[in-house]
Every structure is written in C-alpha cells, then in structure tokens.
Amino acid sequence: MFRNLSLSLSLLSTLCLPGCSGGGGGSATPHQDAPGSVHIVLDTATGSDALVQFQVAAAALERSDGGVTGNLLPEPVLATGADPSGALDGLSLARVPGGDYRALHLVVAPGSGVARYADGSTLPVTLPTELEVVFPEPLRHAGQGRSWLAVGHVGTPPPAVAAGSRAWSPSWSGRSEGSECEFADLRVAMVANGRVLAFAGLGDDGTLEVEFEVECEFEDHPGGRDDFLRGLARGEDLRVRGTLGRDGRVRADRAQRGRRNDGPRLLGRIRELFPTTQSFRFEVQAEVRRGGRRTLTTPVDVLVDVAAARLHASDSRRVLTFGELQVDMLAKVEFTSRTPRTGELDLVVAREVEVASSAAPMQPEWEGSVQAVDGPSATITVAQRGNDPIVVQGQVVTPVLVHVGAGVPIERRARSGGGRTNIGLLDIVVGERIWWRGTVTGPASIDANMVRVRAE
C-alpha cells in the first residue's frame, strides 16, 4: 500500500476521465524514452474472454527500504488489465530517481473499470483503488538510465459475463530478468551490426535493442539472419518473441518482418462465415493502432473479404485455411481498404487475419529455490526463496512440486551476461535459483512448460 496517499487522493479529485489518454497505456504527451524512464510491460493474458480496461490515475515505485516515490505518470492513462488476445500492454514512468525498487503501486480511478465480453456486452467492473505489484527481485534503476520491467498475472481472471459479482482484484507479479515476451508491433528505428533498434509503442515509444539468438527462427526468410535483415528499413514493423532484459535488450528466438502499417487494425469476433466468397461477417469491438487501442462503445459489423489475405493462428503463427475458421473466434484484421456501402455492411479487404479459437491462457511465472530433484518422478521440489512468496492461484504455498515432462526445455543461465546452456533435469543443483511457467494441477503442484535455473 502507498506510504503517502496524499498524492493519489489529490490526483483522483482532479481526474477528468474523458481527457485521459487512450488505449495501450500511451500518454497523449510522450516523453520519448527520456533518460530516467521505466517502461512497464504488462502481459494481459488471463484465460478469460473479457477485455478489461481502467484508468490509472497515478503510479509510484516503492524502494527496497520502504520509501515511495511521488507520482511518476506524466498524466493519467487508460490501461488494459486483461485481453483475450494476450497482447502486451504497458505504461511508462518518467523521471524515475535512481535506486533499488521492490514494488509498483497503481492508483485506479474509481468507477473507471469496464469489461467487454465475447458476446459484445459491456459491463462495469469494480477494482480496488490501489493495486500493488511486487517484484521477485529488485529493479535496479540508474537515474539517467532506461529500465524495462515485465509484469504478469498470477491470480484469478476477471469475472465471467454471468457472474453474480462484478468485482475483480487482479493479482500481478513483476517478472525477473530474462522473462519471455512477444512484441507484436515493434517499429524499426535502425539496423546495425546484426542488431535492430526498435520503438516498442507500449506506453510511450520506448526503445528496445533486438539481438537474434543463434537458433532464432526467421519466419519467411530461409536464408537466416542475413536474409532477414537485408533491406529491413526504418519504419517497418517487426514481431519478435524472446527474453526481455531489464536494460531493454530482447534476445529473440523467433522473428517476423511486417509491412509498414500506420492505419488501424480491427479487433473483434467472427460472427458468420461465407465459404463461397471467402468472407465473414465480423463484429468490430475495437480498433488497434500501434501503441494504442480505441474500444468502440457500440460494436460495428463489417464484411471482411479474406480471399487474398494471409490467415494464421495467434499462438503458433501457423498458416490457416478458410475452412479452419470458426464462428466466435477472436480475430485481428489488418486491411488494405474499407469501403462504405449504402444499405450494406462496410466491405473490408483484408491483408492479414490473426485468429484465436480461445482466449490466451494466463502465463504465470514463478520463482523459488530448488529443494530437491527426483529423476524417476521427473519432479523438482521448490521452496520459497528468501522473503519472496510463491503464489499459486492467489494463495501463498511452499513447497511446490514442479513436474517436468519429456520435451520441456530446461536452461541454465549465467549469473551475468546472456550466457545460457540447455541442460537435463538431473543437471539441476539443489540450492539453485529457479524460474518456471506451466499449468496448475493442484494446490501446490504445477506441470511446467519452461524451466530455467541460475546459481545463487
């Protein structure tokens, strides 16, 4: 909780919600990645079909010694707390003093929470006035430097459309150095020495340096990195998946080039399919522009022609056929033209359509200390590390049993730098620091889909 709530109360009393900046967390007056910025990257996947947004009136960081900064937001912002597509959101903190920080505190404008559901209904959601995001390891920020911090959900998803209560208390946790993220809308700023400098468009245009791992998969470029980078120019779009360093470096293991697109993309649901014309009736619920989102007060239907479009799944980037599309799929449509037609639905000619059959699942990331490794049962017993609790579905538990099935990647990270080695389960050493992601199978058991360790 805030140690000095006077700043939040004064801000709340002067809020003018319609004047706050629009979606994606972007502020109306960017500070252009100024020295001292801290960029917060929010993983919005909760496994829910609800899109939840709310106004953040103020934000502050709590130091490791318990002191709290003043408000670090240049102005209130509209934040996306949950998104069925799992697209990253973010906000940028300006002029952050140097120091070690243990938590982020957000002040939510009362009455600003709204949820949009798959059926198109829009309902108010009540959130706590204050939200606290604890970091498993301190954020060490240099006063004239630029820092990045990933944050993800570890609690319960938003209430379902038929739920009796409209209250939601999201539980977030800061992720550690090297957390995996997928950036869908990077804008190339410069290419040099096999690396790319790009603007992220989350919050303000924070800059990321993209490095490509040796094993990086370059989609549509069989010639590898050199082929991928050849002709890559300023202003082009870039999509990468990789690990995010708190210094703003992304080590990419998958990358895809895009075309420059300054226009909006349409986000919504497929409501009716027309196989003979390779088109579908599409309920547009929001317009997504790089670094921002405009949610429509009333959804609008359009007819989307996909005869010449590239169709792909959002989770795997697998190319799809029209026959694999289904009614009620969530879709994002990038288009070449939108033509109003008297007495008929607008005709949208699509260039690319990204679809998901279900909401992106929550990807909680846990951290602890290795207590035991059992080869026959393929399990790792993990205890709490120091004073950092292990929270599973909103409950603090320890120890936790982590099951590591065949094929689950296990990686050892160097204590400093980007060194990493693929290892086996029995190479893990008791006492090592461990991070993992996976599916909760019991009150204190998790099936891992990713494990990485590092010596203390």
Side-chain angles (χ1 to χ4, degrees):
M1 303 292 283
F2 272 117
R3 306 290 196 272
N4 51 349
L5 285 175
S6 58
L7 74 93
S8 63
L9 295 175
S10 63
L11 277 168
L12 290 175
S13 66
T14 57
L15 265 181
C16 178
L17 298 184
C20 295
S21 59
S27 66
T29 310
H31 53 78
Q32 299 180 347
D33 198 30
S37 302
V38 172
H39 301 282
I40 307 297
V41 178
L42 176 61
D43 180 351
T44 64
T46 64
S48 167
D49 67 0
L51 170 70
V52 179
Q53 295 182 300
F54 52 87
Q55 295 284 357
V56 178
L61 289 169
E62 181 179 342
R63 301 182 186 89
S64 296
D65 63 6
V68 180
T69 68
N71 179 30
L72 300 170
L73 280 183
E75 60 183 351
V77 298
L78 179 66
T80 300
D83 187 335
S85 73
L88 297 178
D89 194 50
L91 55 87
S92 295
L93 311 180
R95 299 180 297 279
V96 180
D100 288 0
Y101 296 98
R102 64 164 299 275
L104 168 70
H105 297 271
L106 303 176
V107 176
V108 178
S112 66
V114 176
R116 170 68 58 80
Y117 291 91
D119 63 1
S121 60
T122 301
L123 298 170
V125 172
T126 302
L127 293 102
T129 303
E130 301 167 29
L131 298 173
E132 180 184 38
V133 183
V134 176
F135 311 152
E137 59 183 2
L139 171 65
R140 293 181 169 87
H141 174 69
Q144 291 302 305
R146 299 169 176 84
S147 298
W148 289 77
L149 177 72
V151 169
H153 288 278
V154 295
T156 56
V161 66
S165 172
R166 301 251 61 84
W168 182 40
S169 182
S171 180
W172 287 324
S173 175
R175 290 177 175 165
S176 302
E177 173 81 16
S179 176
E180 184 178 280
C181 297
E182 182 162 352
F183 295 92
D185 293 305
L186 298 181
R187 178 64 55 84
V188 174
M190 184 176 67
V191 180
N193 301 321
R195 300 180 181 183
V196 175
L197 190 69
F199 298 122
L202 298 171
D204 297 325
D205 274 343
T207 51
L208 291 168
E209 182 179 352
V210 182
E211 303 175 0
F212 301 100
E213 299 280 31
V214 173
E215 68 276 14
C216 183
E217 175 187 350
F218 297 97
E219 296 188 19
D220 304 324
H221 288 81
R225 186 184 68 174
D226 292 344
D227 181 32
F228 182 83
L229 295 178
R230 190 176 297 115
L232 185 64
R234 179 183 177 89
E236 287 191 66
D237 287 343
L238 190 65
R239 180 179 187 137
V240 301
R241 184 191 67 188
T243 57
L244 173 65
R246 288 184 169 179
D247 59 358
R249 293 185 183 184
V250 178
R251 293 181 169 87
D253 58 32
R254 189 167 69 187
Q256 182 187 36
R257 288 176 59 171
R259 294 169 286 257
R260 178 161 186 161
N261 176 34
D262 292 319
R265 282 164 293 179
L266 308 179
L267 180 65
R269 300 274 176 175
I270 297 173
R271 295 306 189 195
E272 190 174 2
L273 293 163
F274 307 109
T276 56
T277 57
Q278 297 279 287
S279 60
F280 55 77
R281 180 171 62 85
F282 189 54
E283 182 185 83
V284 182
Q285 298 179 356
E287 293 183 353
V288 181
R289 195 181 296 269
R290 181 181 172 274
R293 172 200 303 269
R294 184 175 72 89
T295 302
L296 306 185
T297 304
T298 303
V300 175
D301 283 3
V302 299
L303 182 67
V304 179
D305 179 354
V306 299
R310 181 180 188 271
L311 311 178
H312 62 87
S314 61
D315 54 351
S316 64
R317 306 292 292 173
R318 180 174 61 90
V319 175
L320 304 175
T321 64
F322 185 88
E324 293 177 274
L325 300 182
Q326 300 174 23
V327 171
D328 292 336
M329 272 186 165
L330 180 73
K332 185 185 292 183
V333 177
E334 182 178 331
F335 57 93
T336 57
S337 65
R338 178 172 178 171
T339 305
R341 301 185 300 173
T342 304
E344 297 183 82
L345 301 178
D346 286 5
L347 177 62
V348 173
V349 178
R351 177 164 62 188
E352 183 171 335
V353 179
E354 180 179 328
V355 299
S357 56
S358 59
M362 188 181 297
Q363 291 284 348
E365 183 172 296
W366 296 275
E367 177 188 5
S369 179
V370 176
Q371 192 174 54
V373 180
D374 188 303
S377 65
T379 59
I380 308 168
T381 302
V382 182
Q384 178 174 309
R385 178 180 176 270
N387 296 321
D388 297 328
I390 301 175
V391 180
V392 179
Q393 294 185 327
Q395 300 298 315
V396 176
V397 294
T398 190
V400 173
L401 196 65
V402 180
H403 180 262
V404 185
V408 172
I410 305 174
E411 183 179 82
R412 174 172 285 121
R413 295 286 179 87
R415 292 198 62 180
S416 61
R420 61 188 68 194
T421 307
N422 294 324
I423 62 174
L425 176 64
L426 295 181
D427 295 318
I428 296 174
V429 178
V430 171
E432 285 192 303
R433 189 174 182 180
I434 182 172
W435 297 261
W436 74 98
R437 289 186 180 183
T439 303
V440 176
T441 55
S445 61
I446 298 167
D447 283 352
N449 57 36
M450 178 280 290
V451 174
R452 68 177 184 271
V453 295
R454 192 183 77 188
E456 285 285 9

